[in-house]
Amino acid sequence: QVQLVESGGGLVQPGGFLRLSCKASGSIISVGLMGWYRQAPGKVRELIATTTANSSPTYQDSVRGRFTIVRDNARNTVALEMRSLKPEDSGVYFCYARALSTTEARVNDYWGQGTQVTVSS
């Protein structure tokens, strides 16, 4: 099994900065794609940013240029640096990882518990 634990959410004013962190742990053999998703109230969960094992990132159009996804393969961590935050960036942010563990016969998708980000004055 693989566990993902997020940290770093909170309340920030528009134009502010937040850094979310996520660490994968457990009986990990390898971690492939990692990323962040967001779910706002009444909306479906949407992809914000992903990064491959060789740190090739992709971003949702609305965050490109403001958010940066950072990965550390040695520590199995992924962070999301969010700048120039807007109220519409608010929501619960979920860490995601596609990983192979010693307890599973195939690659599985794993999710963190989510961390709340609120952008408001």
Side-chain angles (χ1 to χ4, degrees):
Q1 274 284 32
V2 177
Q3 297 81 41
L4 301 179
V5 178
E6 303 118 331
S7 61
L11 173 64
V12 64
Q13 291 188 343
F17 171 86
L18 271 179
R19 188 177 194 273
L20 305 182
S21 297
C22 173
K23 180 173 177 59
S25 63
S27 52
I28 297 172
I29 295 175
S30 63
V31 181
L33 194 69
M34 298 187 80
W36 292 90
Y37 285 69
R38 176 177 70 208
Q39 187 162 19
K43 295 188 177 182
V44 299
R45 191 175 297 186
E46 58 179 348
L47 184 149
I48 298 301
T50 61
T51 179
T52 62
N54 63 356
S55 298
S56 177
T58 61
Y59 297 96
Q60 185 194 89
D61 286 347
S62 68
V63 307
R64 188 175 294 113
R66 299 188 297 122
F67 289 13
T68 304
I69 189 167
V70 181
R71 178 170 178 159
D72 185 332
N73 287 329
R75 294 179 172 82
N76 287 326
T77 62
V78 64
L80 186 67
E81 297 177 346
M82 306 183 292
R83 297 172 175 81
S84 302
L85 282 161
K86 305 175 182 180
E88 52 264 41
D89 294 321
S90 298
V92 179
Y93 282 71
F94 295 90
C95 178
Y96 160 84
R98 177 162 290 179
L100 180 65
S101 72
T102 60
T103 59
E104 303 289 334
R106 58 181 177 84
V107 171
N108 278 320
D109 294 334
Y110 296 92
W111 295 91
Q113 78 284 0
T115 185
Q116 178 71 46
V117 171
T118 302
V119 184
S120 175
S121 55

